[in-house]
Amino acid sequence: TGCTDVSLAHAEVIGNGDGRGSGISLAVSGRVTVRDCRFHGHATAIGVRSCHDALVTRNRITGSTADGINITDCQRAVA
């Protein structure tokens, strides 16, 4: 929360098997990028809320029990 210039690339994020929680959750942040990552077994793999200048691209999401990607209340977000 409240970060600037955040980048996550080429990571593998695996849930604990209960299908809950998030792979990554970004809130009230700016210039954030999540790209070329793999997420498996979360409720929401990628959550981006109240951010600006967000890029979410080329990610592989499997086994999500809710939203794969959830982007809300953002300005200049590309997914």
Side-chain angles (χ1 to χ4, degrees):
T1 301
C3 300
T4 303
D5 298 318
V6 176
S7 180
L8 178 67
H10 303 285
E12 184 170 4
V13 183
I14 300 172
N16 66 3
D18 68 2
R20 296 190 226 175
S22 296
I24 184 168
S25 181
L26 300 161
V28 194
S29 299
R31 296 189 305 267
V32 297
T33 300
V34 180
R35 65 175 181 84
D36 301 311
C37 296
R38 295 182 353 169
F39 296 88
H40 178 75
H42 308 281
T44 300
I46 303 169
V48 183
R49 180 179 52 86
S50 301
C51 293
H52 63 86
D53 302 307
L55 174 63
V56 178
T57 186
R58 296 189 315 249
N59 296 290
R60 183 180 201 174
I61 300 167
T62 57
S64 289
T65 58
D67 301 325
I69 301 172
N70 190 347
I71 299 175
T72 57
D73 191 33
C74 293
Q75 298 175 358
R76 296 178 303 277
V78 177

